[in-house]
């Protein structure tokens, strides 16, 4: 059974958190509340999240400051952040959100269907990435076991095929996401986020190709997927 992804909801107003939970409950994932930037950073110390929905205007540490801390941490810098804001001071304010590392910047009131669709894309990518890591771990165990027998070789070949198929699905999803982001925004920060994901997938694809029989690649180290 695939483990549910965790989605971090950050807002200082309880009614806003309740509204977000109502909108995202249909995704059937684990929703985690944080009522401040400090509380969000604390949650990120111990749990892995598929995506963060972050309110911009909060007392104390605002959304921009919180995002800056998230992006400075090695463990959390690649988690997608969607900014939610009730204020709109024009393009420069939106640009500040993207510059802080957001993958999207949505003004309130927002369309619940659109928000749910955007979040579901990142949940899907996160889930597939977790599945790839599990498959990669199994593959490492298989290779380290040195299964050179006919049965062991067949198992390894089957595992490689399964991992390759899963990777292909993620590559297809990432390509669709890149296309979607390109159509919605030409912002450099958004493009950079998509490019980072593509680089990670390219590295894993190369490692898999090196494991194919007849490549003479030995036993390469599969790249970590974080």
């Amino acid at each position: 059974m695939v483990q549910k992804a965790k989605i971090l909801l950050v807002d200082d107003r309880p009614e806003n958190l309740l509204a977000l939970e109502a909108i995202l409950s249909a995704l059937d994932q684990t929703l985690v509340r944080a009522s401040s930037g400090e509380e969000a950073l604390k949650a990120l110390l111990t749990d892995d999240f598929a995506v963060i929905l972050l309110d911009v205007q909060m007392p104390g540490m605002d959304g921009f400051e919180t995002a800056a801390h998230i992006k400075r941490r090695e463990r959390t810098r690649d988690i997608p952040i969607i900014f939610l804001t009730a204020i709109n001071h024009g393009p420069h304010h939106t640009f500040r959100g993207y510059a802080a590392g957001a993958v999207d910047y949505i003004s309130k009131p927002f369309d619940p269907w659109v928000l749910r669709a955007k979040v579901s894309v990142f949940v899907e990518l996160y889930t597939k990435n977790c599945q790839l890591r599990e498959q990669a771990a199994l593959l490492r165990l298989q290779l380290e076991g040195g299964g050179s027998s006919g049965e062991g070789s067949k198992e390894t070949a089957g595992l490689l095929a399964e991992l390759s198929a899963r990777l292909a699905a993620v590559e297809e999803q990432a390509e669709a996401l890149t296309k979607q982001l390109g159509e919605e925004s030409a912002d450099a920060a958004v493009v950079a986020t998509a490019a980072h994901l593509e680089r990670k997938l390219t590295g894993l694809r190369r490692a898999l190709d090196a494991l194919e029989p007849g490549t003479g690649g030995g036993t390469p180290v599969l790249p970590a997927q974080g």
Side-chain angles (χ1 to χ4, degrees):
M1 182 179 296
V2 178
Q3 187 175 2
K4 291 184 179 181
K6 292 183 178 180
I7 302 170
L8 183 58
L9 314 176
V10 189
D11 199 303
D12 63 298
R13 300 175 67 90
E15 63 270 24
N16 290 343
L17 290 171
L18 189 63
L20 287 174
E21 288 177 336
I23 292 170
L24 301 175
S25 60
L27 297 179
D28 193 28
Q29 305 299 324
T30 302
L31 305 177
V32 178
R33 284 188 175 201
S35 58
S36 67
E38 293 84 355
E39 191 175 331
L41 294 176
K42 185 177 180 180
L44 288 162
L45 287 174
T46 54
D47 289 326
D48 294 324
F49 292 90
V51 61
I52 302 170
L53 273 63
L54 180 58
D55 183 43
V56 171
Q57 200 171 21
M58 296 186 294
M61 184 184 296
D62 66 15
F64 295 132
E65 293 176 280
T66 304
H69 282 288
I70 292 171
K71 292 303 177 182
R72 278 199 293 265
R73 292 178 178 177
E74 178 73 23
R75 174 188 172 92
T76 60
R77 66 184 182 185
D78 292 331
I79 301 176
I81 298 174
I82 298 177
F83 273 131
L84 304 176
T85 179
I87 57 176
N88 189 356
H89 297 307
H92 70 283
H93 200 260
T94 303
F95 176 78
R96 186 182 176 191
Y98 287 126
V103 296
D104 212 336
Y105 193 97
I106 303 177
S107 297
K108 302 174 185 177
F110 44 78
D111 186 329
W113 294 94
V114 172
L115 180 63
R116 190 184 301 120
K118 290 177 180 292
V119 171
S120 68
V121 171
F122 291 108
V123 168
E124 179 78 8
L125 286 173
Y126 174 84
T127 301
K128 290 185 180 298
N129 195 36
C130 288
Q131 292 173 347
L132 283 171
R133 278 187 290 178
E134 292 173 1
Q135 292 291 328
L138 289 173
L139 182 58
R140 285 193 186 96
L141 290 175
Q142 187 73 28
L143 293 172
E144 290 169 0
S148 58
S149 66
E151 184 178 349
S153 297
K154 288 180 180 179
E155 290 179 359
T156 300
L159 198 53
L160 278 171
E162 174 68 16
L163 185 53
S164 182
R166 290 183 181 274
L167 178 57
V170 178
E171 289 170 331
E172 183 179 349
Q173 195 80 13
E175 183 179 351
L177 176 61
T178 301
K179 183 179 179 181
Q180 177 186 340
L181 292 176
E183 292 172 350
E184 294 179 355
S185 172
D187 189 273
V190 181
V191 175
T193 299
H196 175 76
L197 176 60
E198 289 182 350
R199 286 196 298 271
K200 291 172 69 176
L201 291 175
T202 298
L204 185 53
R205 173 59 68 186
R206 287 175 178 169
L208 276 179
D209 290 343
L211 289 170
E212 290 294 331
T215 60
T219 306
V221 178
L222 292 177
Q225 297 292 302

